[in-house]
Amino acid sequence: MAINVNEVAHLARLQIEADAIETVRDKLEQIKTLVEHINSVDTSDVTPMSHPFDQLQRLRADNISETDERQQLQKMAPLTEAGFYLVPKVIERE
Amino acid sequence: MHNHTLAQLAQQLQQGTCSSEELTRETLRRINEQDEKLNAFITVCEQEALSAAKAADAMRAAGKATALTGIPIAHKDILCTEGVRTTVASRMLSNYVSPYDATCVAQLKAAGAVMVGKTNLDEFAMGSSNENSHFNPCRNPWDPSRVPGGSSGGSAAAVAGRLVVAASGTDTGGSIRQPAALTGVTGLKPTYGRVSRYGLIAFASSLDQAGPLTQTAEDAAMMLQAMAGFDQRDSTSIDQAVPDYCATLNDSLEGVKIGLPKEYFDKIDSRVVETVLTGVEELKKLGASVKEVSLPHTSLAVSAYYVIAPAEASSNLARFDGVRYGHRCDNPKNLEDFYKRSRSEGLGNEVQRRILIGTYVLSAGYYDAYYLKAQKIRRLISQDFQNAFADVDVLLSPTSPTTAFKLGEHAHNPVEMYMTDVNTVAINLAGLPGLSLPAGFIDDLPVGMQLIGNHFTEAKLLNVGHRYQQVSDWHQKLPPTFE
C-alpha cells in the first residue's frame, strides 16, 4: 500500500505543496523499498535493541539542582510577553 | 606552520617558539585566504578567538597550560557554543545563539583550546556529502568539483586543507569517518556514551557521537583525551574511566589480531579494496596477524539504519515548532498553520524527507513492522560484532565504497546517497568505536581505511593507527592548491 503523504505530513506537522506530493511520495517509496529489506530475515526469537549496551535510564535523586533562567532563555524566543511565549490561539471557545 | 600537526604545535607552544596569539592570527589569516575555495566555515569568530588565545597565553605564563592550551580548533556547527551561533546548517536555526556550551566544547575550552569558528555540515547532520546545507555546499580540497563527504564535511575539509589543525565532528551513520576518508584525514567516532551528547543538537539519540578530525591518530588521541568523560547531564553518558590515550600509542602490534569482515569488501570499488589491502600488508609487517571473518547480517545494516535514524530524528526534530526558538513563519492563520509553515520553511528537503519516513515507520499499524523489526536487526548486527571480537582484536575495512564523488552526482537519488554509508552505519548501530585513516590515493583522490574496535577500545584503535602512520605518509600529503 502506497504511503499517504498527506496523512504522514500532517502527523509530522509539515506542509507539502500539492504539486510536490507526487515527487515526495516517489522518494519516500524508494526509501521504503530500501528499508523493507529488513523483512528478509526471521527475527521471531530476537529481543529488540534500543541502546547499544541495553543500558537502563540512569536516575538521580529528586533534589533541586537547576536555577530559573527564563529571562536568559527567552532572549532567543521569537515572541514573548510577561514571561510567556506568544502563539496563535490554541483553544477555541464556543 | 599550517602543515604542522597538533602534537608539533603543542610542543612549539610549550617551548615558547610561538604564542597562541601568533598561531591563532595565522590560522585566522589562512581561513580568510583559503576558505572561499572550500566554504568549510559557516561562522568565523575572530574576536572570541583572539580573546581566548590571549587567555591561553596567560594560562601558560601562569604555569597552568595543558597539552591543548592555545591550540586553534574548529567545532562542527551542531555543537552548542555559548555566544557564537549554532545553525546546524539550517534556516531553522540560522540565528540561534546558544546560552550554553556543549560539554565536549566546554571541556576543550577548559583545556585551553581556542575556537576559531563553526564548520559547515549537512543540515541537522543528515547527509553524506555536505550538499544539504542552507549555507551552500562545502567542497573537497583535493578537487573542488567534488564533495568532501558528510555530514562533517566542513570539519574534514578544514583539516585537510590545513585551515585548522583539528576540528570536532559528529557521527551518527558515518559522518566523521566517511568525510575523513574522502578528504584524506584521520577521523574517530568514539564508543557510544564515551563523549557527552549534552549540547550536541540531537539527530538520532541512540546513535550520535562527537569525535575529532585531525591529521594524525596521535592528534586524535590528544583531542579525545579532552573530549571524553562521564557527564551526568547526558543520561546516556557511560561512567567509564578515561585512559591516557597517548600513553599506549607506541605499543607494539606484535600479536594484534586483525579481522577483515568479508562483507565489507564486497560491493566496493576494486581499486579501493586494493589500496586498503596494501595498508593491511603494512600492519602485518608491524607484527599483526590477519584473518578473514564474517559479519553475516551486514546487508541489513543500511535498511535498519534508515528506519531507526529517521524515526529518532522525527521525534528529536518535533521541538522545532517556532515557539521558543528558531524560525517562525509570518502571519500564521492558526496553530496548525503556524507549526506547518514554520517547520516547512525552516527545514530543508532531506531533513523533511527523513522526518516523514521516521513518522511513517512509527505510526500506528507500522511501528512493529518497521521500528521494532529494525531494533531486532540491530541486536543481530551487534551480536555479529561480538562474535567476531571473540576471535580478533580489531576489524579493518575500507571506510567508503568509492573516493569522493562529484557535487550533484547523487542529488536526485536519496537511496543511492544512503548506500555510500554501507561500511559505516553498522558501527553506530552497535555503538562501537571506529577510526578512519588515510590509506592511499586513486587518481589523486584520498582513500580511507577503517578500524573498528569493541566498546571502549579507542586506545587500541589509536595505537594501531599511530603505528601505521609511522610507516606510511598518506596522512602528510597536502592538496596541491593548499600547500
Side-chain angles (χ1 to χ4, degrees), chain A residues 1 3 8-15 27-28 30-32 34-38 40-41 43 46-55 57-58 72-73 76-79 85-86 88, chain B residues 96 99 191-192 206 230 232 234-235 237-238 299-300 303 306-307 322-324 328 336 340-341 343-344 356-357 359-360 366 370 373 375-379 382 412-415 430 455:
Chain A
M1 202 170 79
I3 297 175
V8 179
H10 178 67
L11 286 173
R13 296 302 186 269
L14 289 172
Q15 177 142 296
K27 296 246 156 71
L28 293 181
Q30 280 170 32
I31 301 170
K32 191 173 148 201
L34 165 72
V35 305
E36 278 180 336
H37 187 49
I38 58 177
S40 64
V41 70
T43 54
V46 185
T47 323
M49 180 184 242
S50 58
H51 183 288
F53 320 132
D54 290 320
Q55 190 100 344
Q57 174 64 56
R58 191 177 68 242
Q72 195 200 15
L73 296 176
M76 73 198 72
L79 209 57
Y85 292 97
L86 294 181
Chain B
Y96 174 70
T191 306
Y192 181 78
S206 77
F230 174 67
Q232 60 185 19
D234 168 5
S235 68
S237 176
I238 305 290
S299 69
L300 297 162
S303 302
Y306 279 100
V307 170
V323 177
R324 290 153 297 159
R328 176 186 278 220
E336 183 176 315
K340 287 182 172 177
R341 276 198 298 123
R343 288 164 62 74
S344 301
L356 289 169
I357 275 287
T359 304
Y360 175 73
Y366 294 114
Y370 290 106
K373 179 83 181 181
Q375 298 284 44
K376 293 181 175 194
I377 304 285
R378 183 175 193 170
R379 187 169 299 281
S382 186
H412 300 294
N413 191 330
V415 172
H455 303 126

XYZ file of all heavy atoms in Angstrom, chain A residues 1 3 8-15 27-28 30-32 34-38 40-41 43 46-55 57-58 72-73 76-79 85-86 88, chain B residues 96 99 191-192 206 230 232 234-235 237-238 299-300 303 306-307 322-324 328 336 340-341 343-344 356-357 359-360 366 370 373 375-379 382 412-415 430 455:
735
model
N 0.845 -1.205 0.000
C 0.000 0.000 0.000
C 0.876 1.249 0.000
O 1.798 1.354 0.808
C -0.866 -0.006 1.258
C -2.101 0.867 1.100
S -3.242 0.640 2.463
C -2.498 1.631 3.741
N 2.400 5.009 0.470
C 2.425 5.941 1.611
C 1.462 7.090 1.344
O 1.488 7.689 0.276
C 3.852 6.485 1.812
C 4.818 5.338 2.155
C 3.877 7.538 2.921
C 6.269 5.771 2.259
N 0.829 11.463 6.581
C 2.112 11.457 7.296
C 2.607 12.883 7.513
O 3.103 13.216 8.587
C 3.172 10.633 6.527
C 4.507 10.656 7.254
C 2.708 9.198 6.367
N 2.442 13.715 6.511
C 2.875 15.115 6.638
C 2.098 15.819 7.743
O 2.661 16.597 8.516
C 2.696 15.846 5.323
N 0.824 15.502 7.853
C 0.024 16.114 8.917
C 0.531 15.672 10.297
O 0.683 16.477 11.204
C -1.458 15.775 8.749
C -2.302 16.354 9.847
N -2.485 17.713 10.017
C -2.974 15.752 10.863
C -3.245 17.939 11.088
N -3.553 16.771 11.619
N 0.812 14.387 10.437
C 1.341 13.878 11.708
C 2.647 14.566 12.067
O 2.936 14.822 13.234
C 1.582 12.362 11.617
C 0.364 11.437 11.649
C 0.804 10.006 11.377
C -0.364 11.531 12.974
N 3.453 14.836 11.029
C 4.772 15.451 11.245
C 4.698 16.969 11.290
O 5.717 17.637 11.449
C 5.720 15.020 10.131
N 3.478 17.484 11.129
C 3.273 18.940 11.077
C 4.211 19.578 10.058
O 4.922 20.551 10.344
C 3.433 19.602 12.456
C 2.396 19.160 13.487
C 0.962 19.440 13.020
N -0.022 19.140 14.063
C -0.631 17.977 14.220
N -0.417 16.978 13.386
N -1.491 17.804 15.210
N 4.228 18.987 8.867
C 4.953 19.555 7.732
C 3.943 19.846 6.641
O 2.940 19.165 6.512
C 6.007 18.570 7.199
C 7.242 18.337 8.071
C 8.077 17.198 7.516
C 8.079 19.602 8.177
N 4.237 20.886 5.852
C 3.343 21.251 4.759
C 3.997 20.873 3.448
O 5.048 21.411 3.115
C 3.140 22.758 4.791
C 2.296 23.279 3.678
C 1.420 24.395 4.229
O 0.565 24.186 5.103
N 1.672 25.593 3.762
N 10.005 9.529 -3.744
C 11.259 9.412 -2.988
C 11.023 8.575 -1.722
O 11.851 7.734 -1.361
C 11.803 10.797 -2.619
C 12.195 11.657 -3.833
C 13.703 11.916 -3.886
C 14.201 12.220 -5.273
N 13.808 13.529 -5.816
N 9.905 8.804 -1.054
C 9.603 8.044 0.159
C 9.415 6.566 -0.165
O 9.849 5.688 0.586
C 8.357 8.597 0.862
C 8.480 10.003 1.454
C 7.182 10.410 2.145
C 9.628 10.099 2.446
N 10.873 4.965 -2.556
C 12.206 4.406 -2.821
C 12.866 4.028 -1.490
O 13.482 2.970 -1.364
C 13.099 5.442 -3.522
C 12.850 5.583 -5.014
C 13.585 6.794 -5.581
O 14.666 7.169 -5.123
N 13.004 7.422 -6.571
N 12.720 4.903 -0.496
C 13.316 4.638 0.813
C 12.615 3.449 1.461
O 13.243 2.577 2.060
C 13.254 5.888 1.732
C 13.987 7.056 1.074
C 13.841 5.587 3.097
C 13.779 8.394 1.771
N 11.299 3.389 1.288
C 10.522 2.279 1.859
C 11.002 0.953 1.265
O 11.140 -0.042 1.997
C 9.044 2.502 1.541
C 8.097 1.588 2.288
C 6.661 2.013 2.028
C 5.732 0.809 2.050
N 4.482 1.050 1.340
N 13.981 0.302 0.173
C 15.280 0.036 0.787
C 15.092 -0.590 2.162
O 15.687 -1.612 2.491
C 16.093 1.331 0.904
C 17.308 1.287 1.846
C 18.427 0.460 1.247
C 17.810 2.692 2.156
N 14.232 0.030 2.986
C 14.136 -0.438 4.365
C 13.369 -1.742 4.505
O 13.565 -2.473 5.475
C 13.586 0.651 5.329
C 14.419 1.910 5.243
C 12.130 0.941 5.136
N 12.519 -2.068 3.530
C 11.744 -3.310 3.652
C 12.615 -4.551 3.556
O 12.167 -5.657 3.874
C 10.604 -3.317 2.632
C 9.459 -2.513 3.212
C 8.243 -2.401 2.336
O 8.372 -2.534 1.119
O 7.172 -2.153 2.917
N 13.840 -4.364 3.176
C 14.818 -5.444 3.168
C 14.952 -6.080 4.566
O 15.374 -7.234 4.705
C 16.151 -4.868 2.677
C 17.210 -5.886 2.446
N 17.011 -7.033 1.721
C 18.505 -5.923 2.854
C 18.122 -7.744 1.696
N 19.049 -7.101 2.375
N 14.576 -5.326 5.611
C 14.669 -5.880 6.967
C 13.761 -7.093 7.153
O 13.950 -7.890 8.077
C 14.353 -4.835 8.080
C 12.962 -4.223 7.922
C 15.425 -3.767 8.126
C 12.578 -3.238 9.040
N 13.626 -9.598 5.275
C 14.184 -10.788 4.636
C 14.731 -11.799 5.645
O 15.167 -12.873 5.281
C 15.275 -10.380 3.644
O 16.334 -9.775 4.348
N 14.735 -11.418 6.927
C 15.267 -12.362 7.929
C 14.264 -12.581 9.064
O 13.529 -11.673 9.445
C 16.643 -11.864 8.450
C 16.480 -10.612 9.303
C 17.363 -12.931 9.235
N 13.144 -12.851 12.721
C 13.630 -12.328 13.999
C 12.681 -12.669 15.133
O 12.629 -11.971 16.148
C 13.774 -10.783 13.925
O 12.525 -10.229 13.504
C 14.876 -10.352 12.985
N 14.264 -12.845 18.555
C 15.224 -11.781 18.872
C 14.577 -10.650 19.673
O 13.471 -10.221 19.372
C 15.822 -11.195 17.566
C 16.906 -10.169 17.883
C 16.354 -12.295 16.670
N 15.280 -10.199 20.719
C 14.793 -9.065 21.526
C 15.237 -7.761 20.854
O 16.405 -7.643 20.477
C 15.435 -9.094 22.933
O 15.548 -10.427 23.359
C 14.652 -8.269 23.929
N 14.331 -6.799 20.742
C 14.734 -5.518 20.152
C 15.831 -4.836 20.984
O 15.890 -5.032 22.193
C 13.456 -4.664 20.199
C 12.356 -5.581 20.497
C 12.925 -6.791 21.158
N 16.690 -4.061 20.301
C 17.784 -3.370 20.993
C 17.634 -1.875 20.784
O 17.753 -1.392 19.663
C 19.119 -3.847 20.410
C 20.328 -3.219 21.038
S 21.827 -3.760 20.215
C 22.664 -4.584 21.539
N 17.371 -1.131 21.844
C 17.214 0.313 21.674
C 18.450 1.075 22.143
O 18.599 2.249 21.869
C 15.976 0.810 22.418
O 16.087 0.483 23.777
N 19.336 0.392 22.850
C 20.558 1.023 23.334
C 21.685 0.029 23.106
O 21.525 -1.150 23.382
C 20.418 1.363 24.816
C 21.591 2.086 25.382
N 22.802 1.480 25.619
C 21.753 3.384 25.743
C 23.652 2.381 26.095
N 23.049 3.526 26.184
N 22.853 0.481 22.600
C 23.934 -0.460 22.265
C 24.384 -1.364 23.409
O 24.904 -2.437 23.173
C 25.086 0.457 21.824
C 24.511 1.783 21.591
C 23.212 1.873 22.305
N 24.230 -0.920 24.664
C 24.598 -1.802 25.781
C 23.377 -2.160 26.627
O 23.527 -2.529 27.788
C 25.649 -1.138 26.704
C 26.712 -0.363 25.997
C 27.040 0.922 26.407
C 27.375 -0.894 24.912
C 28.009 1.655 25.754
C 28.352 -0.163 24.254
C 28.670 1.121 24.664
N 22.186 -2.034 26.068
C 20.961 -2.324 26.826
C 20.949 -1.596 28.166
O 20.508 -2.142 29.177
C 20.799 -3.840 27.065
C 20.477 -4.571 25.773
O 19.691 -4.031 24.978
O 21.030 -5.662 25.554
N 21.453 -0.376 28.138
C 21.509 0.433 29.355
C 20.106 0.831 29.797
O 19.247 1.111 28.977
C 22.291 1.713 29.028
C 22.665 2.572 30.188
C 24.121 2.344 30.587
O 24.716 1.365 30.181
N 24.664 3.229 31.397
N 17.697 3.604 31.938
C 17.744 5.034 32.209
C 18.331 5.265 33.602
O 17.816 4.755 34.593
C 16.331 5.627 32.119
C 16.237 7.082 32.536
C 17.022 8.005 31.620
O 16.821 8.032 30.409
N 17.946 8.751 32.194
N 19.399 6.021 33.649
C 20.009 6.352 34.936
C 19.127 7.385 35.627
O 18.648 8.326 34.999
C 21.405 6.927 34.669
C 22.277 7.074 35.906
C 23.671 7.581 35.532
N 23.651 8.942 35.059
C 24.029 9.333 33.830
N 24.459 8.451 32.968
N 23.986 10.598 33.490
N 17.069 34.636 30.492
C 18.151 34.372 29.562
C 17.686 33.495 28.409
O 17.998 33.751 27.248
C 19.319 33.696 30.291
C 20.592 33.720 29.470
C 21.601 32.678 29.905
O 21.286 31.744 30.640
N 22.816 32.802 29.434
N 16.899 32.486 28.714
C 16.447 31.544 27.694
C 15.431 32.158 26.745
O 15.323 31.761 25.603
C 15.870 30.283 28.347
C 16.884 29.451 29.149
C 16.199 28.290 29.835
C 18.008 28.959 28.256
N 16.182 34.436 23.050
C 16.210 33.964 21.672
C 14.822 33.646 21.147
O 14.658 33.218 20.016
C 17.080 32.712 21.577
C 16.412 31.501 22.181
S 17.559 30.176 22.562
C 18.405 30.862 23.982
N 13.776 33.832 21.978
C 12.420 33.471 21.563
C 11.874 34.485 20.562
O 12.140 35.678 20.694
C 11.505 33.392 22.773
N 11.105 34.008 19.570
C 10.553 34.924 18.564
C 9.607 35.979 19.148
O 9.653 37.126 18.757
C 9.803 33.994 17.615
C 10.374 32.635 17.848
C 10.799 32.601 19.276
N 8.753 35.564 20.086
C 7.740 36.496 20.597
C 7.338 36.097 22.012
O 6.867 34.990 22.247
C 6.513 36.419 19.680
C 5.622 37.647 19.519
C 6.429 38.841 19.036
C 4.518 37.332 18.517
N 5.367 32.599 26.133
C 5.650 32.558 24.692
C 4.344 32.836 23.973
O 3.322 32.223 24.289
C 6.161 31.176 24.281
C 7.521 30.839 24.842
C 7.660 30.081 25.997
C 8.688 31.296 24.210
C 8.908 29.776 26.522
C 9.942 30.995 24.727
C 10.042 30.238 25.876
O 11.268 29.947 26.387
N 4.349 33.750 23.028
C 3.120 34.075 22.308
C 2.980 33.209 21.066
O 3.904 33.089 20.268
C 3.133 35.559 21.906
C 3.071 36.543 23.065
C 3.057 37.972 22.550
C 1.813 36.302 23.916
N -0.353 31.577 18.146
C -1.756 31.742 17.755
C -2.682 31.022 18.749
O -2.257 30.058 19.403
C -1.846 31.081 16.382
C -0.445 31.021 15.898
C 0.425 30.914 17.100
N 20.325 31.158 15.706
C 20.254 30.636 17.067
C 21.605 30.802 17.777
O 22.627 30.326 17.292
C 19.858 29.160 17.050
C 19.912 28.512 18.419
C 18.984 28.848 19.410
C 20.892 27.579 18.729
C 19.037 28.271 20.664
C 20.948 26.991 19.989
C 20.022 27.340 20.942
O 20.085 26.770 22.196
N 22.754 29.586 24.786
C 23.159 30.200 26.052
C 24.150 29.329 26.826
O 24.562 29.694 27.919
C 21.845 30.312 26.820
C 21.014 29.200 26.296
C 21.426 28.970 24.872
N 33.220 5.235 21.107
C 32.162 4.348 21.584
C 30.960 5.195 21.992
O 31.130 6.283 22.553
C 32.646 3.576 22.835
O 33.870 2.922 22.532
C 31.616 2.576 23.315
N 29.760 4.714 21.737
C 28.560 5.416 22.169
C 28.610 5.636 23.677
O 28.818 4.692 24.439
C 27.306 4.609 21.797
C 26.023 5.302 22.203
C 25.512 6.351 21.438
C 25.333 4.933 23.364
C 24.350 7.006 21.804
C 24.170 5.583 23.730
C 23.688 6.614 22.944
O 22.533 7.272 23.313
N 20.195 7.473 19.891
C 20.862 6.220 20.268
C 22.081 5.963 19.387
O 22.749 4.930 19.539
C 19.891 5.041 20.152
O 19.712 4.671 18.795
N 32.610 10.954 31.566
C 31.242 10.854 32.061
C 30.656 12.240 32.316
O 31.330 13.127 32.810
C 31.241 10.025 33.354
C 29.894 9.986 34.025
C 28.815 9.341 33.424
C 29.692 10.599 35.259
C 27.569 9.302 34.045
C 28.443 10.557 35.886
C 27.384 9.919 35.271
N 27.038 13.788 33.908
C 25.733 13.448 34.476
C 24.589 14.171 33.782
O 23.424 13.791 33.927
C 25.711 13.701 35.981
C 25.983 15.125 36.372
C 26.067 15.260 37.880
O 26.275 14.271 38.589
N 25.919 16.468 38.399
N 24.142 14.116 30.653
C 23.749 13.308 29.497
C 23.374 11.938 30.040
O 24.225 11.198 30.510
C 24.926 13.209 28.514
C 24.719 12.166 27.415
O 23.621 11.562 27.335
O 25.657 11.946 26.635
N 22.097 11.615 29.990
C 21.666 10.373 30.637
C 22.149 9.123 29.912
O 21.971 8.021 30.412
C 20.144 10.351 30.773
O 19.544 10.255 29.501
N 25.391 9.014 28.920
C 26.840 9.047 29.110
C 27.246 7.858 29.979
O 26.571 7.547 30.962
C 27.205 10.361 29.804
O 28.571 10.411 30.105
N 28.312 7.162 29.591
C 28.734 5.968 30.328
C 29.820 6.344 31.333
O 30.786 7.038 30.998
C 29.269 4.893 29.350
C 28.225 4.582 28.272
C 29.678 3.636 30.109
C 27.009 3.849 28.723
N 24.314 -6.976 5.337
C 23.469 -6.489 4.227
C 22.171 -5.854 4.724
O 21.463 -5.217 3.961
C 23.152 -7.628 3.267
O 22.292 -8.547 3.916
N 21.860 -6.022 6.012
C 20.631 -5.438 6.569
C 20.888 -4.104 7.269
O 19.948 -3.411 7.665
C 20.025 -6.404 7.594
C 19.591 -7.748 7.023
C 19.433 -8.764 8.134
C 18.289 -7.599 6.255
N 19.436 -0.745 5.733
C 17.972 -0.760 5.847
C 17.526 -0.494 7.276
O 16.621 0.297 7.528
C 17.416 -2.099 5.381
O 17.804 -2.335 4.048
N 18.151 3.137 8.233
C 17.234 4.135 7.668
C 15.790 3.951 8.121
O 14.887 4.616 7.611
C 17.403 4.227 6.139
C 18.595 5.100 5.804
C 19.825 4.538 5.455
C 18.521 6.486 5.936
C 20.932 5.354 5.225
C 19.621 7.297 5.713
C 20.832 6.726 5.365
O 21.920 7.533 5.145
N 15.606 3.063 9.091
C 14.349 3.035 9.853
C 14.608 3.754 11.176
O 13.889 4.671 11.569
C 13.895 1.581 10.142
C 12.728 1.579 11.140
C 13.483 0.890 8.854
N 8.789 26.646 16.123
C 8.685 28.102 16.016
C 8.255 28.799 17.291
O 8.121 30.012 17.316
N 8.043 28.048 18.365
C 7.518 28.655 19.599
C 8.593 29.321 20.441
O 8.516 30.519 20.729
C 6.760 27.614 20.452
C 6.282 28.233 21.777
C 5.556 27.071 19.685
N 9.618 28.521 20.834
C 10.581 29.045 21.817
C 11.886 29.510 21.202
O 12.641 30.244 21.824
C 10.884 27.971 22.864
C 9.710 27.672 23.791
C 9.785 26.272 24.321
N 9.696 25.294 23.233
C 10.104 24.058 23.309
N 10.622 23.596 24.433
N 10.006 23.250 22.282
N 10.203 31.195 12.724
C 8.750 31.248 12.903
C 8.183 31.891 11.661
O 8.690 32.914 11.196
C 8.443 32.072 14.144
C 6.956 32.296 14.413
C 6.754 33.238 15.573
N 6.857 32.547 16.846
C 6.063 32.786 17.890
N 5.089 33.684 17.795
N 6.240 32.154 19.033
N -2.165 25.196 13.696
C -1.727 24.168 12.756
C -0.901 24.788 11.628
O 0.165 24.301 11.277
C -2.944 23.437 12.183
C -2.566 22.295 11.258
C -3.766 21.514 10.768
O -4.641 21.193 11.599
O -3.826 21.236 9.561
N 3.053 24.070 10.812
C 3.392 23.510 9.498
C 4.268 24.444 8.678
O 5.255 24.016 8.075
C 2.118 23.135 8.735
C 1.450 21.891 9.298
C 0.224 21.490 8.509
C -0.270 20.139 9.008
N -1.508 19.738 8.328
N 3.917 25.716 8.659
C 4.722 26.624 7.831
C 6.052 26.958 8.467
O 7.066 27.067 7.787
C 3.932 27.891 7.477
C 3.038 27.687 6.248
C 2.602 28.995 5.619
N 1.812 29.791 6.535
C 2.123 31.043 6.897
N 3.196 31.637 6.433
N 1.340 31.699 7.736
N 7.851 25.021 10.302
C 8.714 23.866 10.099
C 9.081 23.687 8.631
O 10.250 23.460 8.282
C 8.029 22.594 10.636
C 7.997 22.561 12.166
C 7.013 21.540 12.724
N 7.295 20.174 12.373
C 8.262 19.444 12.889
N 9.076 19.969 13.782
N 8.415 18.183 12.535
N 8.120 23.809 7.741
C 8.393 23.591 6.316
C 9.266 24.675 5.711
O 10.033 24.415 4.786
C 7.088 23.465 5.532
O 6.350 22.389 6.054
N 9.577 12.587 7.552
C 8.394 11.898 7.016
C 8.547 10.376 7.113
O 7.639 9.677 7.558
C 8.144 12.310 5.566
C 7.634 13.743 5.367
C 7.669 14.138 3.898
C 6.216 13.899 5.924
N 9.696 9.864 6.712
C 9.930 8.414 6.813
C 9.882 7.988 8.273
O 9.282 6.966 8.613
C 11.282 8.022 6.155
C 11.100 7.806 4.665
C 11.885 6.777 6.775
C 10.365 6.507 4.305
N 8.326 9.413 10.762
C 6.946 9.487 11.249
C 6.164 8.282 10.758
O 5.393 7.662 11.495
C 6.280 10.788 10.750
O 7.068 11.903 11.164
C 4.865 10.942 11.293
N 6.373 7.927 9.494
C 5.674 6.798 8.889
C 5.981 5.485 9.622
O 5.068 4.746 9.994
C 6.064 6.692 7.411
C 5.494 5.498 6.690
C 4.134 5.447 6.363
C 6.298 4.426 6.323
C 3.596 4.349 5.697
C 5.777 3.330 5.660
C 4.423 3.299 5.346
O 3.914 2.213 4.683
N 2.284 0.546 11.885
C 3.573 0.279 11.224
C 4.726 0.109 12.197
O 5.798 -0.363 11.821
C 3.900 1.406 10.231
C 2.933 1.465 9.077
C 2.074 2.550 8.908
C 2.854 0.404 8.170
C 1.178 2.587 7.856
C 1.953 0.430 7.122
C 1.115 1.525 6.966
O 0.226 1.558 5.936
N 8.154 -2.059 11.239
C 9.362 -1.331 10.871
C 10.285 -1.083 12.063
O 11.381 -1.645 12.132
C 9.011 0.002 10.194
C 8.418 -0.132 8.822
C 7.058 0.078 8.590
C 9.224 -0.497 7.743
C 6.530 -0.046 7.319
C 8.688 -0.631 6.474
C 7.335 -0.400 6.260
O 6.815 -0.531 4.997
N 11.079 -4.146 14.324
C 11.812 -5.106 13.488
C 13.253 -4.621 13.300
O 14.193 -5.403 13.429
C 11.110 -5.244 12.132
C 11.779 -6.198 11.161
C 11.401 -7.623 11.410
C 12.114 -8.552 10.441
N 11.743 -9.952 10.637
N 14.937 -2.726 15.253
C 15.654 -2.837 16.532
C 16.102 -4.284 16.766
O 17.101 -4.537 17.459
C 14.767 -2.382 17.703
C 14.339 -0.921 17.645
C 15.439 0.052 18.034
O 16.586 -0.078 17.625
N 15.091 1.058 18.811
N 15.359 -5.236 16.219
C 15.772 -6.641 16.331
C 16.981 -6.904 15.421
O 17.937 -7.587 15.808
C 14.611 -7.570 15.962
C 13.452 -7.515 16.959
C 12.331 -8.461 16.566
C 11.254 -8.468 17.649
N 10.323 -9.602 17.459
N 16.953 -6.323 14.222
C 18.082 -6.426 13.298
C 19.320 -5.821 13.966
O 20.431 -6.348 13.870
C 17.802 -5.688 11.970
C 16.532 -6.197 11.301
C 19.002 -5.766 11.041
C 16.639 -7.524 10.627
N 19.099 -4.730 14.667
C 20.180 -4.060 15.384
C 20.876 -5.014 16.343
O 22.101 -5.054 16.454
C 19.602 -2.867 16.129
C 20.626 -2.043 16.860
C 19.989 -0.805 17.486
N 21.048 0.092 17.896
C 20.868 1.329 18.308
N 19.656 1.840 18.342
N 21.890 2.056 18.672
N 20.082 -5.809 17.065
C 20.651 -6.765 18.007
C 21.467 -7.826 17.265
O 22.542 -8.219 17.704
C 19.588 -7.432 18.872
C 20.227 -8.310 19.975
C 19.256 -8.789 21.026
N 18.622 -7.720 21.764
C 19.173 -7.037 22.750
N 20.413 -7.323 23.139
N 18.509 -6.082 23.368
N 24.720 -6.311 16.212
C 25.576 -6.163 17.385
C 26.190 -7.506 17.781
O 27.387 -7.593 18.103
C 24.742 -5.580 18.523
O 25.549 -5.299 19.620
N 19.773 13.384 -7.032
C 18.387 13.052 -7.380
C 17.953 11.697 -6.859
O 16.815 11.284 -7.062
C 18.201 13.126 -8.898
C 18.507 14.496 -9.402
N 17.734 15.578 -9.066
C 19.521 14.968 -10.153
C 18.263 16.664 -9.615
N 19.339 16.326 -10.272
N 18.848 11.003 -6.192
C 18.501 9.674 -5.724
C 18.959 9.482 -4.284
O 20.100 9.103 -4.049
C 19.152 8.633 -6.643
C 18.617 7.259 -6.381
O 18.220 6.933 -5.258
N 18.600 6.437 -7.410
N 18.062 9.745 -3.333
C 18.472 9.652 -1.927
C 19.006 8.278 -1.558
O 19.969 8.176 -0.806
C 17.202 9.979 -1.137
C 16.081 9.973 -2.096
C 16.645 10.158 -3.455
N 18.414 7.216 -2.106
C 18.844 5.862 -1.741
C 20.278 5.597 -2.199
O 21.069 4.969 -1.478
C 17.864 4.800 -2.293
C 18.403 3.399 -2.082
C 16.501 4.938 -1.607
N 25.784 -0.678 16.524
C 26.347 -1.491 17.599
C 27.028 -0.640 18.677
O 27.521 -1.177 19.668
C 27.341 -2.498 17.020
N 33.726 -2.152 22.343
C 33.395 -0.975 23.156
C 34.581 -0.515 24.001
O 35.246 -1.319 24.645
C 32.218 -1.293 24.092
C 31.007 -1.760 23.339
N 30.360 -2.943 23.628
C 30.348 -1.214 22.302
C 29.329 -3.098 22.797
N 29.304 -2.065 21.981
